[in-house]
Amino acid sequence: MRKIAIGFDIGGTNLRGALISEDGRIIMRHSVLSEADKGIDFVVKNLAALIKKTTEGENIAGVGIGIPGIIDSHNGILTQAPNICNVDDYPLRRVLVEKIGEKIPIFIENDANCAAIGEWWIGAGTDVKSLIILTLGTGVGGGIILDGELWSGADGMAGEIGHITIFPDGAKCNCGNFGCLESYASAGAIRRMVKRGLETNLETIIGDKVRNISKERIPEMAREAAIEGDEFALWIWDEVGKALGIAIANLVNLLNVEMVVIGGGLSNAWDLFAERAKKEAKKRGLRAPLKRVKIMKTVLGDDAGILGAAYLVFKAEGLTRM
Amino acid sequence: MRKIAIGFDIGGTNLRGALISEDGRIIMRHSVLSEADKGIDFVVKNLAALIKKTTEGENIAGVGIGIPGIIDSHNGILTQAPNICNVDDYPLRRVLVEKIGEKIPIFIENDANCAAIGEWWIGAGTDVKSLIILTLGTGVGGGIILDGELWSGADGMAGEIGHITIFPDGAKCNCGNFGCLESYASAGAIRRMVKRGLETNLETIIGDKVRNISKERIPEMAREAAIEGDEFALWIWDEVGKALGIAIANLVNLLNVEMVVIGGGLSNAWDLFAERAKKEAKKRGLRAPLKRVKIMKTVLGDDAGILGAAYLVFKAEGLTRM
């Protein structure tokens, strides 16, 4: 019988789940609010309800869950999760088992790691054995696949590519450091650049576009403005590309992977910064490993995480990638 | 019967070999000139003679060879080796088999990768499963062990930590890029800093120390001067520590390894830049993975490479680290 797993992606706003077949097709989707601001107990209550709803009448091989945070995936513990209230070594798997029973195996992994697995399994990287994904969203996440296996670090904390120092004396990052990639190539960084540009009365159409919209949509407006030829907006995406290119060169020199995949919300604007990123990477990377690496946009988009989470289930069942 | 392997380290000047027992003891050493400047054929001739001499009367399980360059270790091919003349996809293993026969298995690996394996096997990292070594020598090399396995990249080119960009607008590197770690934390970088300092008539005792000595000994003189309290010399080591600290923070954030080992000739001056390196890493690294990582000087020193090379033999024979 065809095996089916559920993949979940727990975001700060939404909790998305899908039934996924072992050939990587998404059969059905569900989504509810995550209520992450109310704390982990609310998130887990919502997650358990969604699992029950999704599994009803289905024969499920297991549940895979991607979460932004530091995960002890072996023990199913959510060590830290900056975007969910009240998380400190939270025993997520144990609590979920209490709510949904022991029959369904549960796998938990960092969300960017899930995205890396997803792209490797059934997305951009089906032909490669090693890849790195950079998810350019509110922050910058990362996941690393080496020789077909996730490298999540000694304690599940690997892949914090957003906190590689790009400009040692650069902009302050949320982590406390200066000049991190995240300070230049995230939605937060773009909002900072837009804010500073508007404060200095630059001539730009972004000012009109961002009036009366939520701050979440500012990167989208910067994208629109750049497409319309606004010079300030084009400069912003050039900054994104430059920082990203330096990071890519570092990754390639260090790890000699076959592919770098760019995901996250900002990848919608990939056409605006791809050229600059590749040019900067080429300028700084060593010739041979740089020639080898493919640098490309996500193929799975927002679904990379839920697909990767589902793969955790199939892998435990003995599935190997075709 | 106790197994014995030979480990070799092919340097630009010397070709060092040693008989090594499977418990990691060095039983006997040999060393000859490598004649790398005369081309790979001379190196191989010298290597083959040294292998014959070393194996005479001994029952050898195999030969492990560490070489500075890009290695296709699976096929035993020396893809590139900047410090040896006339190397371009040189079939090292095949040529050696022609010279010494098929009876002794031959393993070939990048020299910094061998050093990483050596430290992991029997040096600084016997208690950890993941470590990165940085060899600060003429250039900066690196080797990466993840979960007890060498990660040498998709094409054997991983670990080029010397070519991580630290200061995007910094000093020009031999690789063509600007601001690489190697431009700040290598013997070459120290020679550059000393030269520039002396050109600008800084008050320093280094000038007297480096008169009439070979350029190879300049870092040693910078070390002596710093120990004697020379401010310019202390500044040089501070620059080394700062750049190294940024690199270490990047490595730790990216890979969440348990240990970073500092080797190579400059590690003799570790006491002069360790504090600065750790301080800079602490300033920039994420709290949890940085708290976890041990940053320390090589335990095996110059022998890390030959020991790691020998381990390649023992591993193929089924040895697992105790």
Side-chain angles (χ1 to χ4, degrees), chain A residues 85-284:
Chain A
C85 283
N86 309 328
V87 170
D88 185 15
D89 285 333
Y90 186 86
L92 180 58
R93 184 158 58 206
R94 186 168 60 71
V95 177
L96 273 177
V97 165
E98 282 166 15
K99 289 185 190 293
I100 67 168
E102 284 188 344
K103 260 177 40 192
I104 305 176
I106 298 168
F107 300 87
I108 300 164
E109 189 49 81
N110 168 273
D111 60 344
N113 286 347
C114 286
I117 295 169
E119 293 287 353
W120 168 84
W121 174 38
I122 202 98
T126 52
D127 291 334
V128 302
K129 284 162 69 175
S130 56
L131 69 78
I132 297 176
I133 191 166
L134 284 88
T135 57
L136 314 182
T138 308
V140 173
I144 302 169
I145 306 278
L146 303 176
D147 206 15
E149 295 287 339
L150 177 71
W151 173 250
S152 60
D155 317 282
M157 299 186 282
E160 288 291 351
I161 304 173
H163 300 289
I164 284 185
T165 300
I166 305 295
F167 300 108
D169 299 313
K172 182 146 196 190
C173 182
N174 289 328
C175 75
N177 184 23
F178 291 84
C180 287
L181 176 62
E182 185 165 303
S183 317
Y184 291 87
S186 65
I190 288 176
R191 289 199 291 266
R192 175 184 58 78
M193 288 187 263
V194 166
K195 185 162 174 269
R196 189 156 307 172
L198 296 181
E199 278 166 4
T200 55
N201 292 313
L202 274 175
E203 202 176 306
T204 168
I205 59 173
I206 293 186
D208 289 337
K209 287 187 179 285
V210 301
R211 203 164 292 139
N212 303 321
I213 65 158
S214 71
K215 69 173 187 167
E216 279 68 32
R217 291 186 60 206
I218 291 176
E220 190 187 327
M221 296 300 112
R223 177 172 166 265
E224 278 188 9
I227 291 171
E228 292 171 36
D230 183 77
E231 284 205 15
F232 173 57
L234 288 166
W235 172 84
I236 288 175
W237 293 108
D238 194 65
E239 288 284 289
V240 171
K242 183 181 173 188
L244 186 64
I246 296 174
I248 291 173
N250 286 350
L251 294 172
V252 168
N253 287 350
L254 186 61
L255 293 173
N256 179 209
V257 289
E258 294 160 80
M259 180 175 277
V260 173
V261 182
I262 307 301
L266 260 52
S267 67
N268 291 329
W270 176 236
D271 288 346
L272 292 169
F273 61 92
E275 202 182 328
R276 180 65 152 109
K278 288 179 185 175
K279 191 178 140 197
E280 193 73 25
K282 194 174 171 186
K283 182 176 144 192
R284 299 185 181 275

Side-chain angles (χ1 to χ4, degrees), chain B residues 95-139:
Chain B
V95 177
L96 273 178
V97 165
E98 283 166 16
K99 289 187 191 292
I100 66 166
E102 283 187 347
K103 259 176 41 191
I104 305 177
I106 297 168
F107 300 86
I108 300 163
E109 189 49 82
N110 170 274
D111 60 344
N113 287 347
C114 286
I117 295 170
E119 293 287 353
W120 168 84
W121 175 37
I122 202 97
T126 51
D127 290 334
V128 303
K129 284 162 71 174
S130 56
L131 69 79
I132 297 176
I133 192 167
L134 285 87
T135 57
L136 314 182
T138 308

Side-chain angles (χ1 to χ4, degrees), chain B residues 8-319:
Chain B
F8 282 102
D9 182 29
I10 300 189
T13 309
N14 292 309
L15 209 161
R16 302 190 310 124
L19 284 181
I20 293 163
S21 66
E22 64 184 326
D23 57 354
R25 283 181 310 112
I26 294 179
I27 300 165
M28 191 191 293
R29 294 170 188 274
H30 290 287
S31 179
V32 296
L33 291 175
S34 55
E35 302 187 284
D37 52 327
K38 293 188 185 167
I40 183 71
D41 292 333
F42 274 83
V43 174
V44 172
K45 182 175 67 80
N46 294 331
L47 181 62
L50 192 52
I51 292 175
K52 280 183 187 160
K53 187 175 171 183
T54 318
T55 53
E56 229 165 39
E58 299 282 348
N59 188 4
I60 299 294
V63 173
I65 303 166
I67 303 188
I70 297 169
I71 314 294
D72 172 353
S73 61
H74 184 69
N75 296 305
I77 289 169
L78 187 47
T79 311
Q80 279 180 44
N83 300 320
I84 306 174
C85 283
N86 310 328
V87 170
D88 186 15
D89 285 334
Y90 186 87
L92 180 58
R93 184 159 58 206
R94 188 168 60 69
V95 177
L96 273 178
V97 165
E98 283 166 16
K99 289 187 191 292
I100 66 166
E102 283 187 347
K103 259 176 41 191
I104 305 177
I106 297 168
F107 300 86
I108 300 163
E109 189 49 82
N110 170 274
D111 60 344
N113 287 347
C114 286
I117 295 170
E119 293 287 353
W120 168 84
W121 175 37
I122 202 97
T126 51
D127 290 334
V128 303
K129 284 162 71 174
S130 56
L131 69 79
I132 297 176
I133 192 167
L134 285 87
T135 57
L136 314 182
T138 308
V140 174
I144 302 169
I145 306 279
L146 302 176
D147 207 15
E149 296 286 340
L150 176 72
W151 173 251
S152 59
D155 317 283
M157 299 185 282
E160 289 291 351
I161 304 172
H163 301 289
I164 285 185
T165 299
I166 304 294
F167 301 107
D169 299 315
K172 182 147 194 188
C173 182
N174 289 329
C175 75
N177 184 23
F178 291 85
C180 288
L181 176 63
E182 185 165 303
S183 317
Y184 291 87
S186 65
I190 287 177
R191 289 199 290 265
R192 175 184 58 77
M193 288 188 262
V194 166
K195 184 162 175 267
R196 189 156 307 171
L198 296 181
E199 278 167 5
T200 55
N201 292 314
L202 273 176
E203 201 177 307
T204 168
I205 60 173
I206 293 186
D208 290 334
K209 287 185 180 285
V210 301
R211 203 164 294 138
N212 302 322
I213 64 158
S214 71
K215 68 172 187 167
E216 279 69 31
R217 292 186 60 205
I218 291 177
E220 191 187 328
M221 296 301 111
R223 177 172 164 266
E224 277 188 10
I227 291 171
E228 292 170 36
D230 184 77
E231 283 204 16
F232 173 57
L234 288 167
W235 173 83
I236 287 176
W237 293 108
D238 194 65
E239 287 284 289
V240 171
K242 184 181 172 187
L244 185 64
I246 296 174
I248 290 173
N250 286 349
L251 293 172
V252 168
N253 287 349
L254 185 63
L255 293 173
N256 180 208
V257 288
E258 293 159 80
M259 180 174 278
V260 173
V261 181
I262 308 302
L266 260 53
S267 67
N268 291 330
W270 176 236
D271 288 346
L272 292 168
F273 60 93
E275 202 182 328
R276 180 64 152 109
K278 288 179 185 175
K279 191 179 140 196
E280 192 73 26
K282 194 173 172 187
K283 182 176 145 193
R284 299 184 180 277
L286 295 170
R287 194 178 45 82
L290 195 83
K291 197 173 165 191
R292 174 60 131 83
V293 73
K294 285 178 216 151
I295 303 168
M296 60 188 291
K297 183 180 160 177
T298 168
V299 163
L300 304 177
D302 284 347
D303 290 333
I306 51 174
L307 285 160
Y311 181 81
L312 298 173
V313 176
F314 296 130
K315 189 186 179 196
E317 295 264 318
L319 176 77

